[in-house]
Amino acid sequence: LQTVSVSNYEYKTAAATTSATASATRSSTTTSTTNTTTTGEPLSDADKQLMEEYTKYALMAIGAVIALKVLASSMMSILVVLLPLLYLYGLSTCPPIETFDAKKELKRVLRGHHLPDTHPQKPKGVLEEWTARLTATVTTELATLPGYSVEMMPLGGAAVWTNMQVPTANLQCYWLGANHRWYYVGSRDLEATTGTTSSRSSTT
């Protein structure tokens, strides 16, 4: 019985020794793996410079986004303040509907008053201007003699959108009344029986 007891003790001791050895081996392997993982080749100068460039660009992008957000917020605040002021200014400077002279405005359009100086159809010199005025006057009187229509649409009291149709001249013109004036917007041909239209460009 004593011999068996000693053998069991020796067996337990050997098992404990084996377990401790295995644990130490695993720990050493883990430490070695960790060291191998964390210990690599040092970054070269080119890699360091590349990382610095990427970092700089990232910071610049973040700064640009922040600046845009601040600018958008500032612009919105300015618009909130300016829009009521602009509306009040429009209310005080909107020309009365009665001041729109359809024939006078049509003459100005026909003689090219609203065209820029570089436009080829802009009259050059005194003789051409006088001829253009005379032609526009005669054309306007003949075109409006059978009749014409003028439609006006107030825009909140701050401006007036005006639409003039002259069927005889196959012409439709637009003006915007604001700031004590009637601004010529543009004109186009009235729709023909074929349903086609053509536009006329001009500048105010």
Side-chain angles (χ1 to χ4, degrees):
L1 295 175
Q2 291 179 355
T3 303
V4 173
S5 177
V6 171
S7 298
N8 291 336
Y9 174 76
E10 291 177 353
Y11 175 76
K12 291 179 180 180
T13 303
T17 303
T18 303
S19 177
T21 303
S23 299
T25 302
R26 287 195 298 271
S27 176
S28 176
T29 302
T30 304
T31 303
S32 177
T33 303
T34 303
N35 292 335
T36 302
T37 303
T38 56
T39 304
E41 296 181 357
L43 295 176
S44 62
D45 294 338
D47 293 336
K48 291 181 179 179
Q49 185 177 2
L50 187 61
M51 290 184 64
E52 290 178 357
E53 291 291 332
Y54 286 156
T55 303
K56 181 178 69 174
Y57 291 145
L59 293 176
M60 290 174 61
I62 294 173
V65 171
I66 295 175
L68 288 176
K69 288 184 176 181
V70 172
L71 181 61
S73 178
S74 301
M75 291 296 295
M76 186 61 64
S77 301
I78 293 174
L79 287 177
V80 169
V81 175
L82 287 182
L83 283 178
L85 297 178
L86 291 175
Y87 180 70
L88 293 175
Y89 178 79
L91 290 176
S92 60
T93 60
C94 182
I97 294 177
E98 297 78 11
T99 61
F100 181 77
D101 190 337
K103 289 186 177 182
K104 177 182 177 181
E105 296 296 335
L106 183 59
K107 290 177 184 178
R108 292 161 65 93
V109 172
L110 294 179
R111 65 183 173 89
H113 175 75
H114 305 88
L115 296 175
D117 294 336
T118 56
H119 197 281
Q121 297 181 359
K122 181 76 172 182
K124 304 293 191 301
V126 178
L127 181 60
E128 289 188 6
E129 290 182 359
W130 183 83
T131 304
R133 287 176 179 271
L134 180 61
T135 304
T137 300
V138 175
T139 304
T140 299
E141 294 298 332
L142 293 176
T144 57
L145 184 62
Y148 60 92
S149 63
V150 177
E151 298 178 0
M152 292 188 170
M153 181 176 64
L155 303 177
V160 180
W161 179 259
T162 305
N163 172 22
M164 180 181 180
Q165 296 184 0
V166 187
T168 305
N170 191 31
L171 186 63
Q172 185 171 12
C173 302
Y174 304 95
W175 289 267
L176 180 66
N179 192 29
H180 304 294
R181 292 180 56 188
W182 294 97
Y183 295 93
Y184 175 65
V185 178
S187 61
R188 68 181 182 89
D189 293 341
L190 291 173
E191 293 183 359
T193 55
T194 56
T196 58
T197 59
S198 60
S199 300
R200 306 185 183 198
S201 60
S202 65
T203 58
T204 58

